[in-house]
Amino acid sequence: GRLTILLMGLDRRPGETGLGYRTDTMLLLSLDPRNQSVGVLSIPRDLYVDVPGYSALRRINEPMALGELQRLNYGPILAMETVQYNLGIRVNHYIIVDFQAFVQIIDALGGIEVMTDYVIDDQYYPTMNYGYERFYLAAGRNLLDGQTALKFARTRHGDSDIERGKRQQQVIFALLDKVSKAENLPQVIGQVPALWNALQGNFYTNLSLDQMVQLGLYVKDIPRENINSGSISYEYLMDYTTPQGAQVLIPNRARLGELMASVFGASYSE
């Protein structure tokens, strides 16, 4: 049957511990073995949605922190329940990485290649100590190490959170390309146990190591034309004013179903 995983990047800085933080990134990955297809959906972090157990709408990046305030290790569950409730797709598992784990994974693979047709020149990229620095990336093909890949995935100045989500998908697909190449596979599999141990405390999932390896081996054989991607972009959103007078965006429920079906297939809600 269908297997759906919520991928989350935790906005947690060096020296911070636990899961009581907002999610900087949310991507939904769904595998449909019946049709040998995979769907990847980017979820904007500032989207206002219903959170189970809360009366007022909240940002979709808040349930992780809200859940941890209720009880230890409930944050991932509340995040999955929130996505499931608002998007109408059963979410089975979660994978959470903080910034350090993201960098370690990319570096362990020897970096990733991304292609852009635009220059990134972010004068106010947020640093780990809550300051700012310039992030510049030329147009064209670039080989990114872990730190640069993190900046590529997180920068949002000069465009929008929607475009940011597309860059994050580029990173996911670049990782898939790297690990699925036959010449890289033995080295990647050989690194998995040591990397798994090194990531403890910065990487969280309710999947076992064996399950993750099996999923990786399964996904690498999915034809690229069967991998669909999308984003909850502006045509699937509506303006909304909160009781406090803030102007925010909420899902357009009348149109969201067509996006879900285009990314995950018509049987996504079964």
Side-chain angles (χ1 to χ4, degrees):
R2 178 181 295 277
L3 183 72
T4 303
I5 303 169
L6 182 59
L7 308 175
M8 293 175 280
L10 203 61
D11 191 357
R12 192 177 71 179
R13 310 305 167 97
E16 297 175 335
T17 58
L19 291 171
Y21 301 89
R22 294 183 179 184
T23 46
D24 190 65
T25 298
M26 296 185 85
L27 289 151
L28 201 58
L29 173 70
S30 191
L31 290 70
D32 180 4
R34 286 180 296 181
N35 296 306
Q36 275 214 309
S37 64
V38 175
V40 182
L41 180 72
S42 293
I43 304 173
R45 61 182 177 177
D46 289 337
L47 187 64
Y48 270 70
V49 296
D50 291 297
V51 177
Y54 292 82
S55 57
L57 298 181
R58 309 294 292 252
R59 283 189 177 89
I60 202 166
N61 68 347
E62 292 185 61
M64 180 70 71
L66 294 172
E68 290 299 299
L69 287 174
Q70 291 188 42
R71 64 179 184 269
L72 191 64
N73 298 323
Y74 182 56
I77 306 303
L78 185 58
M80 289 196 301
E81 289 176 346
T82 299
V83 170
Q84 181 171 291
Y85 181 81
N86 287 277
L87 300 188
I89 184 171
R90 184 180 299 278
V91 182
N92 310 103
H93 297 285
Y94 64 84
I95 295 175
I96 304 166
V97 297
D98 68 2
F99 298 141
Q100 182 177 333
F102 180 92
V103 170
Q104 284 181 270
I105 292 168
I106 301 292
D107 285 341
L109 295 173
I112 56 172
E113 278 195 357
V114 298
M115 182 77 178
T116 63
D117 56 4
Y118 56 90
V119 171
I120 297 175
D121 191 2
D122 184 352
Q123 301 288 332
Y124 297 99
Y125 176 80
T127 64
M128 292 297 102
N129 60 358
Y130 298 98
Y132 297 97
E133 66 182 12
R134 183 189 183 196
F135 171 52
Y136 178 87
L137 189 71
R141 188 175 300 278
N142 289 279
L143 176 64
L144 311 182
D145 62 11
Q147 288 287 353
T148 311
L150 179 64
K151 293 177 181 178
F152 178 77
R154 291 190 67 218
T155 184
R156 65 182 292 184
H157 289 272
D159 49 31
S160 67
D161 211 32
I162 308 300
E163 295 303 315
R164 182 175 179 267
K166 292 178 182 178
R167 285 191 289 274
Q168 291 165 358
Q169 288 191 14
Q170 279 186 266
V171 170
I172 296 294
F173 291 131
L175 281 169
L176 179 61
D177 287 341
K178 193 68 179 281
V179 302
S180 63
K181 288 181 179 176
E183 64 269 24
N184 293 337
L185 200 55
Q187 179 187 358
V188 169
I189 292 177
Q191 286 181 306
V192 166
L195 184 58
W196 178 266
N197 290 329
L199 291 173
Q200 296 309 305
N202 304 100
F203 180 98
Y204 306 84
T205 182
N206 59 348
L207 290 161
S208 69
L209 177 56
D210 286 345
Q211 286 175 315
M212 292 196 64
V213 171
Q214 290 169 18
L215 283 171
L217 293 172
Y218 175 79
V219 171
K220 79 174 182 61
D221 292 328
I222 298 291
R224 179 44 66 93
E225 62 269 20
N226 289 4
I227 300 178
N228 306 307
S229 63
S231 176
I232 304 179
S233 50
Y234 296 114
E235 61 264 41
Y236 304 105
L237 301 173
M238 298 188 302
D239 293 323
Y240 177 78
T241 303
T242 69
Q244 294 75 32
Q247 298 294 317
V248 300
L249 293 170
I250 62 172
N252 183 340
R253 312 243 176 233
R255 297 207 58 195
L256 199 54
E258 66 187 71
L259 171 65
M260 298 293 290
S262 70
V263 175
F264 301 122
S267 63
Y268 74 92
S269 60
E270 296 177 2

